[in-house]
Amino acid sequence: MTIWDTLVGQRPTIDALEKAVAGHGMTHAWLFTGPPGSGRSNAAIAFAAALQCDQGGRGPDCPDTCHACHTVLAGSHADVSVIRTQKLSIGVDEVRDLVRRASLSPMGDRWQILIVEDADRLTDQACNALLKAIEEPNGRTVWMLCAPTVEDVLPTIRSRCRLVTLATPTTVEVAGFLQARGIEARLASYAARASQGHIGRARALAFDEDVRNRRQEVVGMPARLTTLGRCMDAATRLASAAKDEADAITAELDAREKTDLDAAYGVVERGRRPREYGPALAALEKSQRTRAKRRHLDVVDRGLTDLMSVYRDAIALATGAPGELVNEDIREQVQTIVDSSTPELNLRRIGWIFAAREQMLEFNVPVALALESMMVALKAPQR
Ligand SMILES: [Zn+2]
């Protein structure tokens, strides 16, 4: 295993980054773009590790056992800072903090590296602060910004960055990655198809039966949306399953953070609470609520992606497009949708799913409400 191994199907990118590590085409600002799950932040972190690696020229081939690689990957390297947000935006204070660090000389003898994982979430003010820092580079500083597409970043910023574009890995590449980790061929190919090139999702589908079952429930919905009652039922089930899944992810994290906070303030069971503890606890709870909301939306969003894949398959099947379906395993159900619809209708349905996503993410429409109106719109026409 080398640090590049998690970047599935990104050979051209890896080659370019390896050259930069060796000194060809190195620059002080990089913009990593790629669809969700293609591994843009993993690419930035792997690149940072290669740049800091103790093994010098071997860089990328270092089997992540050298101290520098190990600490970069573990998030504890003194000269690599990462902004990773649970919030919907990154404010100017967080960026100013990073800019301050960018102006410092590295502790080691290599680079001072600043990684912004969600550069598309920078507020305008934060962008301006960042722009100033990127415009006046310091010889040892390297900025790495990550965003879904170049359009998500201000032109003034992206024009100063060298662009690294990650591709969506193919089904064969994802399946190969899973098989190399001990997943048998059939399951690997199912998970690769169903993930649509999202590596994290593919792993979860391959290794976790609960995740597979939840996905099966969602992709089974379109064929059953024949009455108003069933539409309402599907909306409720999707919303509550997403809530349960999101809660399961956050509950453990929340409890750990609370324990850490209590320890930091010396709070023990029924003990005295220092005056500063109250506000600190309130701030923690507020950020945990924000994170829980974002996780819930993320899980719902993934459900919507799965739903869309069924209608896309229906269009592919109706128009005789070559290749396997994303939902090859429920081909018969997809066929029943084809039989009761037209490709035009299914295209409109995909549009309604996008509209529901936009209502929830951009306009804060409550999840249950947005899903209900979406499911009703998706209902099969009366015959
Ligand atoms: Zn190393």
Side-chain angles (χ1 to χ4, degrees):
M1 284 275 285
T2 77
I3 49 178
W4 300 117
D5 281 350
T6 50
L7 300 179
V8 182
Q10 312 295 348
R11 207 0 91 187
T13 296
I14 294 172
D15 289 344
L17 295 177
E18 282 185 326
K19 283 203 185 93
V21 171
H24 308 290
M26 186 56 198
T27 182
H28 73 288
W30 297 75
L31 175 58
F32 290 80
T33 65
S38 59
R40 48 183 191 254
S41 62
N42 285 346
I45 287 165
F47 183 37
L51 285 170
Q52 305 288 26
C53 180
D54 294 334
Q55 306 282 324
R58 281 189 67 208
D61 296 324
C62 174
D64 67 65
T65 45
C66 90
H67 184 69
C69 284
H70 183 77
T71 49
V72 173
L73 298 178
S76 56
H77 194 289
D79 295 329
V80 178
S81 310
V82 183
I83 283 202
R84 199 177 263 134
T85 189
Q86 302 289 346
K87 291 181 278 181
L88 295 169
S89 65
I90 302 174
V92 69
D93 291 343
E94 283 166 278
V95 170
R96 283 207 185 109
D97 192 43
L98 212 57
V99 169
R100 248 191 311 276
R101 257 185 274 178
S103 66
L104 303 174
S105 293
M107 310 268 268
D109 52 8
R110 294 175 185 277
W111 308 95
Q112 178 74 260
I113 299 177
L114 300 310
I115 301 176
V116 181
E117 280 200 347
D118 301 284
D120 52 313
R121 296 198 180 142
L122 292 165
T123 62
D124 290 350
Q125 245 190 324
C127 271
N128 287 332
L130 181 65
L131 183 60
K132 269 202 210 94
I134 292 181
E135 275 177 333
E136 295 156 18
N138 143 349
R140 310 288 294 280
T141 302
V142 182
W143 288 91
M144 299 182 190
L145 314 179
C146 309
T149 68
V150 283
E151 286 76 28
D152 293 314
V153 178
L154 285 184
T156 43
I157 288 186
R158 67 174 189 249
S159 65
R160 285 165 175 83
C161 295
R162 183 168 162 200
L163 193 62
V164 178
T165 311
L166 286 105
T168 301
T170 65
T171 304
V172 172
E173 287 165 336
V174 177
F177 169 82
L178 295 172
Q179 278 183 270
R181 276 150 191 79
I183 299 295
E184 56 97 10
R186 242 179 94 94
L187 180 55
S189 115
Y190 158 80
R193 275 198 314 270
S195 72
Q196 301 179 67
H198 190 302
I199 298 295
R201 179 77 172 143
R203 286 177 97 124
L205 285 164
F207 286 98
D208 189 339
E209 196 185 349
D210 288 344
V211 173
R212 289 198 289 278
N213 291 338
R214 279 196 293 266
R215 183 178 189 281
Q216 285 320 103
E217 180 169 6
V218 172
V219 296
M221 284 174 178
R224 292 197 305 267
L225 299 176
T226 49
T227 66
L228 213 51
R230 285 180 169 197
C231 293
M232 301 306 258
D233 181 50
T236 311
R237 276 185 297 130
L238 184 55
S240 70
K243 182 90 174 56
D244 291 347
E245 189 181 337
D247 286 350
I249 308 168
T250 47
E252 198 185 325
L253 204 56
D254 286 359
R256 205 177 328 133
E257 288 171 347
K258 170 78 164 54
T259 308
D260 289 349
L261 185 80
D262 289 357
Y265 284 89
V267 172
V268 284
E269 199 70 33
R270 278 189 295 277
R272 278 162 46 90
R273 275 139 175 74
R275 198 149 39 89
E276 302 79 11
Y277 177 73
L281 181 62
L284 175 67
E285 286 171 349
K286 183 164 178 257
S287 78
Q288 289 181 339
R289 277 195 301 276
T290 310
R291 180 174 62 202
K293 188 178 172 205
R294 183 172 157 202
R295 281 277 157 79
H296 185 202
L297 287 173
D298 284 348
V299 179
V300 171
D301 194 34
R302 214 186 45 221
L304 296 185
T305 306
D306 289 337
L307 271 184
M308 265 188 249
S309 73
V310 179
Y311 293 112
R312 270 181 34 197
D313 277 349
I315 295 171
L317 204 55
T319 56
E324 284 190 309
L325 302 179
V326 171
N327 300 287
E328 198 57 53
D329 51 307
I330 55 162
R331 186 176 263 267
E332 279 171 29
Q333 284 188 42
V334 177
Q335 186 63 52
T336 66
I337 298 168
V338 172
D339 295 343
S340 68
S341 66
T342 60
E344 292 73 23
L345 173 59
N346 289 325
L347 207 54
R348 281 209 300 282
R349 284 169 160 161
I350 291 173
W352 293 324
I353 299 174
F354 271 116
R357 164 191 272 167
E358 190 181 44
Q359 285 175 348
M360 288 183 286
L361 298 180
E362 309 279 329
F363 302 110
N364 281 317
V365 172
V367 170
L369 204 63
L371 291 182
E372 273 175 16
S373 55
M374 179 194 79
M375 291 291 186
V376 171
L378 295 177
K379 191 170 90 63
Q382 297 294 338
R383 289 205 285 174

